[in-house]
């Protein structure tokens, strides 16, 4: 992790905050309204974004122990994540190599999985270890019939996988060094307090909301308050963006006290100051710090397109530095997490649903992203670019060379 890079960002935010300025995009950007409603484009996004790019599939603390597993369905692809005996994570196509039945559903802990259809058994490292009634079935090469593997990568307490068995795209390269900065949260040693899944509008409509602060004091006036800041500066690592409010203050952990960062040396800057704001991981993750239950926590929101262009679903993970201990702390952590459900479900996604229905009318040709909404501008630019890129272009975009050139 580069603390220097985090400090430099904080200093830039403090300077802008002290001067009451913010960084603007060059111009107001117009995005075709059909971007949100076109069903052909939506299918292409499911295929070329969600089934081709690395996705953050789970925080490490969701699978802390050897044997822990989670089965998921992402855009029609059944994925099985397992924590293997050596501590590494395995990502597999959750389809029995006999006739394709998922070998397990949901979450749990197991060292092996027995398929519920005819009883073939696989170890949690994917090895096929048992064919039911083998003499009757006939001889098979078990080594060739292991569960199919997807690329997987774990860093900064987060797990990524690419739902393409033949992907040549390096997950680390795709992250453009961003994962090293995400280490500043310290998720590696954190625990999962609670999680839930919420239905939402079109995935880009939903994701737009994580990328702008412009709406905060308006849409969230009853929850965050009408005085909440509405400005953000943006920092970029390839398509991944952090947005943070230009301010010389940071709220002291667990209190309302505001710390004046201009009075602190670089060495004194606390973790909260270095990680404040919203950290997004393209194409579908948002991370923000909160405090509840007597200690640092974070909401990790993981968004996936639904079955139709107007639907998405979001899993909210509430992760905490330590599990709350007392009854009061547990209650306070639940209150914090429940508050964030209300904000997202009743304000962001309820608005997104109405917005999407209106856009479906086809009466409006374009939507606007202001100079203060750079996050949305950049997101839509990358979404279009990566949706339409060929496999070769995709590799070129994220090759190490390109990254160096951009730096
Ligand atoms: S499909 Fe799994 S054992 Fe037949
Ligand atoms: Fe919001």
């Amino acid at each position: 992790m580069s603390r220097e890079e985090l400090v430099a960002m904080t200093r830039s935010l403090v300077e802008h905050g002290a001067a009451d300025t913010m960084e603007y995009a060059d111009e107001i950007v117009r995005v075709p309204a059909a971007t949100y409603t076109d069903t052909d484009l939506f299918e292409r996004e499911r295929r070329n974004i969600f089934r081709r790019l690395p996705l953050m599939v789970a925080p490490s603390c969701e699978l802390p122990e050897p044997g822990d597993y989670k089965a998921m369905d992402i855009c029609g692809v059944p994925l099985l994540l397992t924590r293997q005996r050596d501590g590494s994570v395995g990502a597999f196509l959750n389809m029995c190599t006999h006739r394709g039945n998922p070998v397990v559903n949901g979450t749990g802990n197991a060292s092996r999985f027995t398929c519920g259809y005819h009883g073939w058994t696989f170890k949690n490292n994917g090895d096929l270890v048992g064919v039911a009634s083998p003499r009757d079935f006939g001889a098979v090469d078990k080594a060739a019939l292991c569960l199919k593997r997807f690329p997987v990568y774990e860093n900064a307490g987060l797990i990524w996988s690419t739902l393409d068995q033949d992907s040549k795209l390096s997950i680390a390269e795709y992250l453009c060094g961003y994962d090293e900065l995400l280490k500043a949260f310290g998720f590696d040693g954190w625990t999962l307090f609670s999680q839930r899944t919420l239905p939402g509008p079109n995935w880009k409509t939903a994701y737009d909301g994580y990328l702008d602060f412009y709406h905060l004091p308006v849409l969230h006036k009853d929850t965050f308050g009408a005085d909440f800041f509405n400005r953000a500066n943006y920092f970029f690592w390839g398509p991944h963006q952090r947005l943070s409010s230009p301010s010389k203050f940071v709220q002291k952990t667990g209190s309302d006290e505001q710390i004046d960062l201009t009075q602190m040396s670089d060495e004194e800057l606390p973790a909260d100051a270095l990680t404040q704001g919203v950290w997004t991981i393209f194409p579908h993750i948002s991370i923000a710090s909160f405090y509840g239950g007597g200690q640092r926590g974070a909401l990790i929101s993981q968004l996936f397109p639904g079955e139709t262009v107007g639907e998405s679903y979001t899993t909210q993970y509430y992760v905490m530095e330590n599990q709350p201990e007392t009854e009061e702390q547990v209650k306070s952590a639940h209150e914090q997490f429940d508050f964030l459900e209300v904000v997202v479900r009743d304000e962001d996604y309820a608005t997104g649903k109405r917005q999407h229905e209106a856009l479906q009318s086809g009466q409006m040709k374009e939507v606007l992203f202001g100079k203060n909404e750079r996050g949305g501008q950049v997101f839509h630019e990358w979404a279009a670019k990566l949706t339409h890129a060929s496999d070769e272009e995709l590799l070129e975009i994220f090759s190490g060379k390109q990254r160096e050139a951009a730096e």
Side-chain angles (χ1 to χ4, degrees):
M1 170 188 43
S2 164
R3 186 178 161 89
E4 273 164 41
E5 200 175 348
L6 292 163
V7 168
M9 283 188 272
T10 306
R11 288 294 172 216
S12 153
L13 290 164
V14 168
E15 261 174 49
H16 276 283
D20 195 26
T21 54
M22 70 182 287
E23 285 175 4
Y24 294 114
D26 293 338
E27 56 196 357
I28 296 171
V29 164
R30 294 163 188 275
V31 171
T35 300
Y36 297 97
T37 56
D38 186 298
T39 50
D40 290 342
L41 177 65
F42 176 67
E43 285 309 320
R44 217 177 157 124
E45 289 167 349
R46 278 170 56 103
R47 192 174 64 241
N48 286 351
I49 300 274
F50 285 89
R51 292 167 65 158
R52 189 170 68 148
L53 296 180
L55 304 173
M56 201 295 280
V57 286
S60 300
C61 58
E62 194 181 8
L63 304 166
E65 301 298 331
D68 287 347
Y69 67 84
K70 167 165 95 158
M72 311 170 75
D73 179 283
I74 301 174
C75 290
V77 179
L79 169 69
L80 173 61
L81 298 173
T82 68
R83 179 73 66 189
Q84 303 169 136
R85 210 161 60 179
D86 65 1
S88 67
V89 175
F92 305 96
L93 176 64
N94 186 14
M95 291 179 75
C96 175
T97 48
H98 176 216
R99 290 241 284 283
N101 185 48
V103 297
V104 70
N105 295 307
T107 57
N109 185 286
S111 57
R112 48 182 62 200
F113 307 104
T114 298
C115 177
Y117 197 174
H118 311 88
W120 283 27
T121 299
F122 300 85
K123 284 210 305 209
N124 72 354
N125 66 1
D127 287 354
L128 172 62
V129 288
V131 170
S133 304
R135 266 183 297 171
D136 297 343
F137 187 83
V140 291
D141 176 5
K142 284 204 201 115
L145 291 168
C146 299
L147 294 177
K148 304 292 178 228
R149 280 179 178 275
F150 290 125
V152 66
Y153 177 76
E154 183 171 32
N155 195 18
L158 301 167
I159 300 165
W160 283 264
S161 184
T162 310
L163 303 180
D164 173 1
Q165 295 168 53
D166 303 318
S167 176
K168 295 190 178 62
L169 179 61
S170 145
I171 300 179
E173 272 192 355
Y174 168 76
L175 292 171
C176 306
Y178 188 54
D179 50 324
E180 286 300 305
L181 290 167
L182 289 170
K183 282 185 180 169
F185 282 93
F187 290 150
D188 235 347
W190 285 28
T191 65
L192 179 60
F193 174 70
S194 189
Q195 70 188 86
R196 66 167 73 90
T197 300
L198 303 173
N202 170 269
W203 75 276
K204 287 185 296 191
T205 311
Y207 205 53
D208 282 348
Y210 294 101
L211 286 160
D212 93 59
F213 285 178
Y214 188 30
H215 76 285
L216 297 181
V218 182
L219 182 58
H220 302 306
K221 61 182 181 310
D222 298 329
T223 44
F224 289 139
D227 296 329
F228 215 72
F229 48 76
N230 74 346
R231 284 174 153 181
N233 283 0
Y234 293 89
F235 305 92
F236 308 91
W237 298 262
H240 317 295
Q241 310 188 49
R242 174 195 180 192
L243 52 155
S244 194
S245 181
S247 169
K248 59 179 189 167
F249 297 106
V250 68
Q251 192 172 325
K252 190 174 176 188
T253 302
S255 82
D256 290 334
E257 193 188 326
Q258 297 283 324
I259 307 173
D260 186 345
L261 298 175
T262 59
Q263 304 303 313
M264 282 186 164
S265 70
D266 289 352
E267 292 69 40
E268 287 171 332
L269 290 173
D272 308 37
L274 299 178
T275 58
Q276 66 178 312
V278 174
W279 296 70
T280 67
I281 310 172
F282 190 90
H284 69 143
I285 301 292
S286 148
I287 301 171
S289 295
F290 291 94
Y291 191 86
Q295 61 196 298
R296 291 172 64 207
L299 182 73
I300 302 177
S301 305
Q302 180 192 52
L303 181 63
F304 292 111
E307 290 300 307
T308 67
V309 67
E311 294 170 297
S312 65
Y313 55 97
T314 300
T315 299
Q316 296 184 319
Y317 302 91
Y318 195 62
V319 295
M320 299 183 73
E321 195 163 15
N322 296 293
Q323 284 291 342
E325 283 170 10
T326 66
E327 225 171 87
E328 201 175 318
Q329 286 174 339
V330 171
K331 187 165 163 266
S332 142
H334 275 300
E335 279 168 4
Q336 177 67 72
F337 190 42
D338 292 347
F339 169 77
L340 296 168
E341 177 181 23
V342 170
V343 171
V344 174
R345 184 192 60 204
D346 298 349
E347 297 178 348
D348 289 306
Y349 289 179
T351 302
K353 281 271 177 207
R354 287 192 291 271
Q355 182 193 1
H356 186 81
E357 278 162 23
L359 289 171
Q360 292 273 27
S361 71
Q363 299 286 315
M364 208 168 109
K365 297 295 169 232
E366 294 170 332
V367 298
L368 302 177
F369 288 87
K371 289 160 76 171
N372 59 344
E373 296 182 288
R374 197 169 175 205
Q377 297 187 2
V378 169
F379 166 63
H380 284 277
E381 197 182 305
W382 273 100
K385 180 167 150 179
L386 297 180
T387 300
H388 298 291
S390 67
D391 290 351
E392 293 70 36
E393 285 164 345
L394 187 66
L395 292 181
E396 181 63 20
I397 289 166
F398 291 104
S399 73
K401 244 192 356 233
Q402 283 255 335
R403 209 173 84 215
E404 279 160 25
E407 278 168 6

